Amino acid sequence: MGLRGARDQIVTPLRVLSIGIILSIVLAAVAFISLSMGPAKVSMGTILGWCAGMGSVDQTTSMILANIRLPRILLAGLVGFTLSLGGVVFQALLRNPLAEPFILGISSGAAIGAIAGIVLGLGFSVGVPLLSFISALATILLVLGISSRHGGLESSTLLLTGVIVNAFFTAVIMFFIATASDSRLHSMLFWLYGDLSQSKYIQFSLCLPLVLIVSGVIYLFSRHLNLIVGGEEPALQMGVEVELVKWVAFIGISLITGVVVAFSGIIGFVGLIVPHLMRMMLGPDHRLLIPASALGGAVFLVAADTVARMIISPSELPVGVITAFLGAPFFIYLLKRKGSQWNQD
Amino acid sequence: MKEARFRCHVARSLLLLLLIALLCCPLQVRASTFRDSLGRKVVLSAAPERIVSLAPSITEMIYFLGLDDRLVGVTRFSYFPEQAKEKARVGTYTDINLEKVVTLDPDLVIATADGNRKEDVEMLEEAGIPVYVVNPRRVGQILETIEAVGDICGIAHRARERVGSLRERVARVEEAVQGRSKPLVFLVINVKPLMSVNHSTTHHDIIELAGGRNLAQDQLVTYPRLSLEEVIRRRPEVIIISSMEKGGEHERARREWFRWTTIPAVQKERVHVISSDLIDRAAPRIVEGLEEMAKLIHPEIPWD
């Protein structure tokens, strides 16, 4: 592992901790700013008072803060956290810089379920998320099943299978959209572009424990991921149970991605941009990269969703439009200036 | 002699010409030219006998005018009245199957400016089929359009009679709500994402006629997507959810609103569901939609 720059080489627990704390502070700051932004003007002072449980806030304002903005910020943070974590893990496991949490067909699988739910007229609180989650998991099992024909999971076969399954499901989605009645079309398109406008606490609290458990397990594997990135053969020789790590990570990430996508719709680019950004800034060691990417993803999506809420206020854009619109040029700028550090491994 | 014969010949020819001209005259009189809502010229040689409707709203107009025996083709979702389901289908109104239209051999096609594609209209014209395009936006324009359709089909009198009774119903509503306070109405046309209507829509006109104020009238987009926060901030006094089907999903959507207890509409339990067919379609039933809307906005009026 030929790492450049002395700063990147040493990953001490202290460094992980300090960067974790810095990013958490940034996240809190972004969340606070986001809380103060919206069509209804609420001053920072009012929000500080409200957070501390002091000061008089009128009922409408407190309802807007507590029941609209806060659950949305929380869910946005959790979704960003999950997608970015998925990105960093998949990029390592598949040893491919283009990998992101949707690459194995989770997005299109979830979309099929969601659209089927919308066509059937199911509600957005239970029916649609449940169907989308089930079909996301079924898709991932299908892809893993196809690719593991010879006992092991081979990365290139897995990638190819994911791409093909995605293509097939995209055709099915296009069919649904082409034949949809007008009234359902909007719901479908907004789901496909990612939408956090109807976030509720219950969604956050359903996702949170699952995301925490899976990310904890993944973090235990971070040293193994470092070795797998260097090649599966060498990793095997160094005693890494490559197959086990792969299965656990694929299933775990798919599970949490499926859950958050069911509530948020498909939000692209987060899982691609944030891990690369963090890799450029902090180096390729997964012991640091995993927590940094996850927290960075939360910051990025909370910020992007705030822009989505504000840019054509009082109307709103789907957040997926913002992540791609802001993310892609920024990413290209960084890539041009610093170059991808991917090939240095 | 010769000259006399020549003169006779000329006279005979002139007579023949006159006769031909006379024969031709009624034909020329019968061919009539109409101007549609886009200002296009539509020339019909006779009253149309085979009509294809390119939108559910037009189908409803044709049934309302009692012209259903001349209707040979309709679009998908033309399910009102019930009998319309038995007519031949020519695709959906955004995606017309032109080949199917041509096979039905229509002598008049009626299209809408906002729903049908311009390309489809042009293709039909090139095939030599007259296309009359309607484009009603306000309730008054819908009624005028029904009369215009009656006109072009040669039943102007009947159309005026039937539309007259619709006009009376509209006038009754206007009279009843006159001088009353105008509650702020939030009309939900899509639940997720939350969408409403601006001032350029028929829905807006219905809300105004029914004695309400449209919460989203100032928006730039025709069907704006509003943030929930903005709706709560504007404090609507009545919330009306336009629904495709009864019960189920929209009953849930209705109950969802009761979480936002600071909205006056919620406090006074004035969150209602209205059938979208009555207010979405630029058809005679729009008057029924107006009456429904007025009842929801002004329940204090003793409607009979």
Side-chain angles (χ1 to χ4, degrees), chain B residues 243-271:
Chain B
S243 91
M244 290 285 284
E245 57 276 306
K246 301 267 178 291
E249 191 184 346
H250 286 85
E251 186 47 38
R252 265 205 302 281
R254 198 178 83 84
R255 281 203 309 270
E256 286 259 299
W257 281 103
F258 291 110
R259 295 167 56 211
W260 314 110
T261 47
T262 62
I263 302 179
V266 173
Q267 288 164 356
K268 292 179 196 139
E269 298 200 17
R270 296 187 63 185
V271 182

Side-chain angles (χ1 to χ4, degrees), chain A residues 29-106:
Chain A
V30 169
F32 185 74
I33 293 169
S34 175
L35 199 59
S36 73
M37 289 186 134
K41 300 277 172 292
V42 187
S43 72
M44 294 267 190
T46 316
I47 291 175
L48 268 178
W50 179 77
C51 287
M54 298 178 297
S56 60
V57 180
D58 71 272
Q59 225 190 336
T60 304
T61 308
S62 94
M63 177 161 283
I64 284 174
L65 291 177
N67 293 342
I68 296 181
R69 291 190 194 166
L70 194 57
R72 183 165 179 166
I73 291 167
L74 289 175
L75 190 67
L78 195 64
V79 171
F81 184 99
T82 307
L83 294 180
S84 185
L85 175 75
V88 80
V89 171
F90 275 19
Q91 281 150 26
L93 286 179
L94 298 168
R95 292 195 305 285
N96 187 318
L98 288 176
E100 39 114 28
F102 294 147
I103 199 147
L104 296 186
I106 300 177

Side-chain angles (χ1 to χ4, degrees), chain A residues 39 69 187 195 315-316, chain B residues 93 192 225 227 229-230 252:
Chain A
R69 291 190 194 166
S187 302
D195 184 35
S315 204
E316 289 184 6
Chain B
Y93 70 100
K192 179 168 181 162
R225 182 189 179 210
S227 65
E229 187 176 324
E230 182 68 11
R252 265 205 302 281

